[in-house]
Amino acid sequence: MKGRSLPEGGRVALALLMATLALVVLRNLLPDPLIRLPQTLILPFADWINAVFAFARDDLGLMRVTRAFSDVVEVCLDVTANLLYGKSRWPRLGPIPWVVIAASAAVAGHALAGWRLAALAGGTFIWIAVMGQWKWAMETLSVILVAAPFSVALGLALGMLAWHSRRAERVLNPILNIAQSLPHFAYMIPVVVFIGVGPKAGAIVTIIFSVPPMIRMTLLGLRAVPAEIIESGRMSGTTRLQLMTRVRLPAARTELLIGVNQVIMQSLAMVVLASFIGMPGLGQKLLQLLQALKIGLSVEIGITIVLLAIVLDRMSKAWAVRQPSHHDEGSGWLQRHRHLAVWAGLVGLGFALVTLHPYFAVVERAQALSMAGPVDAAVGAFIDMVSPVTDWLRWFLITWVLIPLRDGFLWLPVSAVLVFLAGIGWAVGGPRSALICLAFFLPIALSGWWDRAMITVYTVFVAVTLALLIGVPLGLLGAARPGRARRFLLICDTLQTFPSFIYLIPVVMLFGVNDVAVIAAVMVFATVPIIRYTIEGLRSIPPEIVESAQMSGAGPGQILWHVKLPLAVPTLMVGANQSIMFALFMVIIAAFIGTQDLGQEMQRALSSTDVGKGLVLGFAVAFMGLMADHLLLKWARGRGT
């Protein structure tokens, strides 16, 4: 009996992979253009982009438009800055005492989700005040309070446009895909060119960065409105405007508020990182402390950022799931506005406390509490205890693992990598996927940043591999029991609210500033989505399928390997995809503590405000992420059919 032959597509993919092997084995015999593209083939993408920006700025007058918009944003920032930390601007009413803001946060938390959220929200602002971080935190919040509404309004408008016009959706979709794959620094450089540096630039880059999720959630929400609700609205005689504002948007309330939640969290992440372009606040202070390796004070600032992230996340999610309440007809004002009455009473009490003692208005640095001393002592003792292990681990990983791997990635010929990607693409999705892989990776070779890109690939490869080795077993452990799964998912949800800067603190503490710290930070950041999606994938399997396998006599191990994991593959691939995207974002940020990858060059482009170079590097990172996204999701869909 003849053996089964490979299908035509499989033979082509195998031929391409064999050609890759031949190119690697015969590398020393290859002509130089097949090892690295000659300079004559390198295209000046950066110069072209700079020329386009110069034309838009100088000839089209885009600078005047951006300056006008930035002036509007600056007026709003002046208002929030005056109210929150007393900057001498209109309306000259601030600063609002910290006890009043803490009480307001507690009342808002109780109104949204009860006493636990009230304690968390109020306690967070009390922590910020007594730790002497009030001004830094309010500088950060003053920008979020301006950027988030702008982002929500812009995202809502563009989402409605995409829902209304298929042509607009087709234009927006690739833009959104690239925008959500671009690293944070790629957004900052054009803003610095057009706006400058400082809070105004920080607010505008935050607006741009946080708009995409609102567009997507608006489009998703409007499409999910049931047809019978629309028909009921039409039968009531509504106009097109009334149908949108009074029927469609209210019916899409949950999706829209989830979009608001994503906007707020994206805003906090970008505001922290906007310290690189002169944005004052918690991010700038954390950056300074990390540069000085002051771990104790860094931990204090890190706790504040984490608490703010958790509070903003919990409150916006509670708002999304909370349904409007209706009071009985004839109920009194106090019953209908109980939270408003309590808030007014607490505000009055807060201002009364301020008149008794200025401590309740602002906590001076001399009056502030600090745990930096004990933390530094504890960290020092811990580092002394583990330093023999961490020093040996750092030496071993750098000498025997990381440097050989990095050199191996850099040794690969360009031609071998491109043929390999074409082969993988062909194996996954045929000629179309092969062309997509080449379309994403060939421009990186043509840009002249191949070696830096390969160092980025090596870092992401190592970190994601370690994340898979750690995250999948933890996900399997978490999915074993429902109660444990809930606890694991709660931890994952909490970790995903942390701005990426926070992950640098423990790795710098343990390993210093080197490649091991970068790999560790990227690995921890990339592990979270793997754990989450492993649990979600295994929990989504219908119980009747598991019961059927059990009745067939399969043991727990057989059920896991032959039933659960194969059925969970599409969800697991989403987790792997998210892990790669998280790793690409983090590796760019982690360039702050070392590496010679695209992130380091992107930071240099930011320092020199080189828009062309910054966007070329940003697109290189985005193309890597989009290629991985295409391959993983295409393979998962193929497995699911």
Side-chain angles (χ1 to χ4, degrees):
M1 183 170 56
K2 294 181 179 180
R4 290 193 306 174
S5 61
L6 286 172
E8 181 67 27
R11 289 199 295 271
V12 173
L14 181 61
L16 290 170
L17 294 177
M18 293 300 292
T20 300
L21 181 60
L23 289 169
V24 171
V25 171
L26 301 175
R27 181 191 186 279
N28 293 333
L29 302 178
L30 296 178
D32 289 341
L34 292 181
I35 298 174
R36 288 292 183 272
L37 294 187
Q39 194 61 37
T40 53
L41 293 180
I42 301 301
L43 299 178
F45 293 126
D47 294 339
W48 297 345
I49 293 173
N50 282 328
V52 171
F53 265 80
F55 174 75
R57 181 187 61 204
D58 302 329
D59 298 330
L60 295 183
L62 188 59
M63 180 70 82
R64 290 192 294 273
V65 176
T66 56
R67 294 290 185 186
F69 178 67
S70 68
D71 289 342
V72 173
V73 171
E74 188 172 30
V75 170
C76 299
L77 287 173
D78 287 341
V79 174
T80 57
N82 173 254
L83 294 175
L84 292 180
Y85 61 94
K87 188 175 181 181
S88 182
R89 296 288 189 273
W90 186 88
R92 303 187 187 280
L93 298 174
I96 300 172
W98 69 263
V99 290
V100 172
I101 293 179
S104 302
V107 172
H110 188 274
L112 289 170
W115 285 108
R116 287 187 179 181
L117 188 54
L120 177 63
T124 293
F125 285 94
I126 292 172
W127 159 275
I128 294 170
V130 300
M131 298 303 290
Q133 302 173 17
W134 190 258
K135 186 173 185 294
W136 306 328
M138 293 304 105
E139 286 173 337
T140 298
L141 279 179
S142 68
V143 174
I144 294 175
L145 287 175
V146 171
F150 271 104
S151 297
V152 169
L154 184 57
L156 189 64
L158 290 175
M160 291 166 61
L161 176 64
W163 170 82
H164 182 73
S165 168
R166 298 290 293 181
R167 182 177 298 176
E169 183 187 359
R170 285 194 295 270
V171 171
L172 278 173
N173 265 334
I175 296 174
L176 291 175
N177 289 337
I178 293 175
Q180 292 188 299
S181 304
L182 281 173
H184 301 71
F185 291 134
Y187 289 86
M188 297 182 191
I189 304 169
V191 171
V192 171
V193 170
F194 283 98
I195 308 299
V197 297
K200 183 168 55 174
I204 290 173
V205 76
T206 301
I207 292 168
I208 298 169
F209 181 73
S210 56
V211 162
M214 191 66 205
I215 299 174
R216 290 202 184 278
M217 292 309 299
T218 300
L219 183 58
L220 178 66
L222 291 174
R223 283 189 174 161
V225 177
E228 54 268 22
I229 293 179
I230 305 301
E231 189 61 31
S232 176
R234 286 178 177 148
M235 291 175 64
S236 301
T238 57
T239 64
R240 291 181 63 182
L241 179 60
Q242 290 172 328
L243 190 64
M244 175 60 73
T245 58
R246 299 184 185 181
V247 178
R248 294 186 189 275
L249 291 179
R253 176 182 181 275
T254 300
E255 288 81 3
L256 296 179
L257 291 180
I258 291 173
V260 172
N261 166 262
Q262 292 299 303
V263 164
I264 292 171
M265 300 315 296
Q266 296 277 64
S267 296
L268 178 60
M270 181 54 90
V271 165
V272 170
L273 287 172
S275 57
F276 283 94
I277 56 172
M279 172 68 225
L282 293 169
Q284 185 182 71
K285 196 65 183 175
L286 180 60
L287 178 64
Q288 293 168 352
L289 293 171
L290 283 175
Q291 286 174 327
L293 292 178
K294 294 182 177 179
I295 300 299
L297 292 172
S298 297
V299 169
E300 288 183 359
I301 298 291
I303 290 173
T304 298
I305 294 173
V306 167
L307 286 173
L308 276 176
I310 293 173
V311 166
L312 293 174
D313 179 61
R314 297 290 188 271
M315 293 183 77
S316 53
K317 281 183 178 176
W319 187 23
V321 300
R322 183 175 180 269
Q323 296 300 316
S325 57
H326 302 282
H327 297 279
D328 295 334
E329 189 175 348
S331 57
W333 185 91
L334 192 61
Q335 185 178 356
R336 287 182 286 111
H337 303 90
R338 181 182 56 178
H339 284 102
L340 180 61
V342 172
W343 173 77
L346 289 176
V347 167
L349 177 62
F351 278 107
L353 290 173
V354 170
T355 61
L356 295 176
H357 200 287
Y359 180 87
F360 295 104
V362 60
V363 179
E364 302 293 343
R365 288 294 300 167
Q367 301 171 304
L369 302 178
S370 177
M371 59 181 191
V375 168
D376 282 331
V379 167
F382 178 73
I383 290 175
D384 289 341
M385 181 178 67
V386 301
S387 60
V389 176
T390 55
D391 289 348
W392 178 86
L393 187 62
R394 181 171 59 238
W395 167 82
F396 175 79
L397 289 175
I398 290 176
T399 306
W400 295 102
V401 179
L402 299 183
I403 290 179
L405 267 176
R406 185 195 64 191
D407 293 345
F409 274 83
L410 290 173
W411 180 84
L412 292 172
V414 170
S415 55
V417 174
L418 294 177
V419 173
F420 173 76
L421 292 175
I424 293 295
W426 203 298
V428 170
R432 182 175 181 273
S433 290
L435 290 174
I436 287 174
C437 290
L438 291 176
F440 280 134
F441 232 79
L442 185 58
I444 299 175
L446 295 172
S447 70
W449 293 107
W450 182 263
D451 286 350
R452 298 283 183 166
M454 292 309 291
I455 295 175
T456 302
V457 172
Y458 131 80
T459 306
V460 171
F461 171 78
V462 174
V464 172
T465 300
L466 293 173
L468 286 168
L469 293 174
I470 295 170
V472 172
L474 285 175
L476 294 174
L477 177 66
R481 295 182 180 177
R484 189 186 297 160
R486 286 192 295 271
R487 290 191 294 273
F488 272 50
L489 289 175
L490 177 62
I491 293 171
C492 288
D493 285 344
T494 303
L495 291 174
Q496 283 190 306
T497 64
F498 294 3
S500 48
F501 236 144
I502 300 303
Y503 290 87
L504 298 180
I505 298 174
V507 298
V508 170
M509 178 182 74
L510 288 173
F511 299 109
V513 177
N514 51 60
D515 277 14
V516 176
V518 172
I519 295 288
V522 177
M523 178 200 71
V524 174
F525 196 55
T527 300
V528 176
I530 291 176
I531 297 173
R532 177 179 186 81
Y533 283 97
T534 300
I535 295 174
E536 294 283 12
L538 294 174
R539 291 179 70 200
S540 65
I541 296 170
E544 55 269 22
I545 294 179
V546 178
E547 290 175 6
S548 176
Q550 289 171 339
M551 292 174 65
S552 301
Q558 292 173 314
I559 291 173
L560 175 64
W561 289 104
H562 299 293
V563 178
K564 290 185 176 181
L565 286 177
L567 290 174
V569 160
T571 306
L572 295 177
M573 288 302 101
V574 173
N577 177 44
Q578 288 295 299
S579 180
I580 292 171
M581 298 304 295
F582 277 38
L584 284 168
F585 285 152
M586 190 66 194
V587 78
I588 301 302
I589 294 163
F592 164 71
I593 59 171
T595 72
Q596 297 176 334
D597 59 2
L598 294 174
Q600 185 186 66
E601 290 297 329
M602 202 172 294
Q603 290 189 16
R604 289 175 179 168
L606 179 60
S607 300
S608 59
T609 62
D610 189 337
V611 178
K613 178 181 176 182
L615 286 181
V616 167
L617 297 170
F619 282 128
V621 175
F623 288 168
M624 291 178 194
L626 290 170
M627 186 190 70
D629 175 77
H630 171 79
L631 289 176
L632 288 172
L633 297 186
K634 185 76 174 177
W635 185 77
R637 283 195 294 269
R639 292 276 302 211
T641 56

